[in-house]
Amino acid sequence: MADGAIAWSEQEIGELTAKVKALKASMGRVIIGQENVIDSLIICLLAGGHALVEGVPGLGKTLLVKSLSQATELDFHRVQFTPDLMPSDIVGTEILEEDHATRKREFRFQQGPVFTQVLLADEINRAPPKTQSALLEAMQERSVTFAGQTHKLPKPFFVLATQNPIEQAGTYPLPEAQLDRFLLRIDVVYPTEEEEIAMVSATTHAGLKDAEPVMDVATLLRLQQLVRDIEIGDHLLAYATRLVRATRPSLTTVPAVKKHIGWGAGPRAGQALVLASKARALMQGRLAVTREDIGEMLLPVLAHRVLRNFEAEADGIAIADILQALREHIRPD
């Protein structure tokens, strides 16, 4: 383990990794297919980050996060973002109350839906920027400041925000600085034919099942501590850093980046890549990061942090193709 790490017994590590497998299995009994999405969601949760989910309506994004909250026994709130949504609708507001005995009036803070452990922010880009900022501030600071007083959010605090990648009319795209607050961007794709048949069959019968609770809050917080203590070698730490730095057109030696990227990722991306790689290693039952972990987490970590230039958009060059070229060009020592 890393310097200054908590001492972990083999028994506790075995129990914790078994809980991770049980969590995935519990969600898998409710969510048909989408194994990569479930993996990415659990990785994000273990790493203590937030996820931005993109996918067309009807692919089960709400059911996905609801099943996660059920399996982990976490409080769950859902907010549908709309153009008239105000910051107070998210974080809360003060209300004037009167004591019936003394007739004394005083203001009391009424907590909003952000005071939960799992928050689904549905179609976050449909709310105006000031409302987006209120949520994103809570994501970063893990607290809400109102009328000069700071109110701590529950632990853990996990936000899953969704965006529709097709319809952009009447939306407010998230600025790059706010996108950077999300640890991962997870793409939800259409299921295979076999998965879709199974999904239609399961959802058109009575008695839909909920995810079985398999993990409590204390266990999840302990797992998040363990993720931080997963080993990563100095050469892999340097490799992750070089990958991030190579996304910057002014520094890169990767031809695809020079040609197609207008703006590269910042230092926070390197932190996210290492942390997500540690969480993936733990999910795989390992206590050390491998090159494969870093490679697999490259796309979900960088997809929303790297901006294509006009030429790439006009030619239909996808971010995934550019990052694949980056991965092939940059090698660990």
Side-chain angles (χ1 to χ4, degrees), residues 85-325:
L85 198 70
M86 300 297 291
S88 58
D89 297 325
I90 301 293
V91 301
T93 188
E94 282 190 328
I95 59 175
L96 184 62
E97 286 190 339
E98 180 179 300
D99 189 312
H100 294 293
T102 64
R103 297 294 181 183
K104 182 180 179 181
R105 296 181 177 182
E106 62 180 6
F107 284 100
R108 180 176 66 84
F109 180 67
Q110 179 70 44
Q111 294 182 348
V114 75
F115 285 86
T116 187
Q117 293 170 317
V118 178
L119 178 67
L120 174 60
D122 225 347
E123 295 191 294
I124 188 174
N125 55 333
R126 293 206 175 278
K130 62 182 178 181
T131 305
Q132 295 174 356
S133 298
L135 174 62
L136 293 163
E137 178 186 2
M139 290 165 54
Q140 180 66 20
E141 305 300 330
R142 312 287 171 134
S143 63
V144 168
T145 301
F146 194 96
Q149 291 196 349
T150 299
H151 306 269
K152 293 291 185 182
L153 294 174
K155 291 183 179 181
F157 177 59
F158 177 56
V159 173
L160 189 146
T162 70
Q163 287 192 134
N164 183 341
I166 298 176
E167 186 177 348
Q168 300 300 320
T171 62
Y172 303 85
L174 292 173
E176 287 69 36
Q178 294 182 347
L179 285 172
D180 202 29
R181 308 296 180 187
F182 291 96
L183 183 76
L184 302 181
R185 194 195 82 180
I186 304 171
D187 292 323
V188 183
V189 299
Y190 287 112
T192 65
E193 182 177 354
E194 292 77 11
E195 291 170 348
E196 193 160 351
I197 291 171
M199 187 184 304
V200 171
S201 175
T203 55
T204 53
H205 286 80
L208 293 178
K209 296 183 295 184
D210 289 336
E212 179 187 353
V214 294
M215 184 184 297
D216 58 21
V217 173
T219 300
L220 177 56
L221 292 175
R222 192 68 173 159
L223 275 163
Q224 290 180 341
Q225 288 181 307
L226 179 56
V227 166
R228 297 277 176 168
D229 286 341
I230 294 295
E231 289 280 3
I232 180 169
D234 290 342
H235 68 294
L236 290 177
L237 198 63
Y239 174 53
T241 304
R242 287 204 310 275
L243 284 169
V244 171
R245 289 177 60 82
T247 64
R248 302 165 194 167
S250 61
L251 300 176
T252 192
T253 59
V254 183
V257 172
K258 278 187 177 293
K259 185 177 181 181
H260 297 301
I261 294 299
W263 193 260
R268 189 181 282 116
Q271 298 169 339
L273 183 56
V274 169
L275 199 54
S277 298
K278 287 185 173 188
R280 185 183 186 274
L282 182 60
M283 271 205 71
Q284 299 290 322
R286 289 182 277 101
L287 297 180
V289 174
T290 65
R291 176 186 169 187
E292 181 187 4
D293 294 322
I294 295 173
E296 288 298 318
M297 299 315 302
L298 190 66
L299 178 60
V301 167
L302 295 182
H304 57 297
R305 292 182 165 97
V306 174
L307 299 182
R308 295 174 298 168
N309 57 24
F310 176 78
E311 181 181 354
E313 293 182 3
D315 292 343
I317 305 297
I319 285 290
D321 295 332
I322 301 171
L323 293 178
Q324 180 60 33

Side-chain angles (χ1 to χ4, degrees), residues 61-95:
K61 297 186 291 294
T62 301
L63 180 61
L64 185 72
V65 67
K66 186 177 180 181
S67 66
L68 176 68
S69 68
Q70 291 170 343
T72 53
E73 300 182 355
L74 299 176
D75 293 333
F76 169 64
H77 286 164
R78 176 182 179 272
V79 177
Q80 180 66 49
F81 277 58
T82 56
D84 60 348
L85 198 70
M86 300 297 291
S88 58
D89 297 325
I90 301 293
V91 301
T93 188
E94 282 190 328
I95 59 175

Side-chain angles (χ1 to χ4, degrees), residues 24 34-44 283-284:
K24 181 177 177 179
Q34 306 291 3
E35 183 177 354
N36 289 337
V37 175
I38 293 174
D39 285 349
S40 296
L41 198 61
I42 295 175
I43 286 170
C44 197
M283 271 205 71
Q284 299 290 322

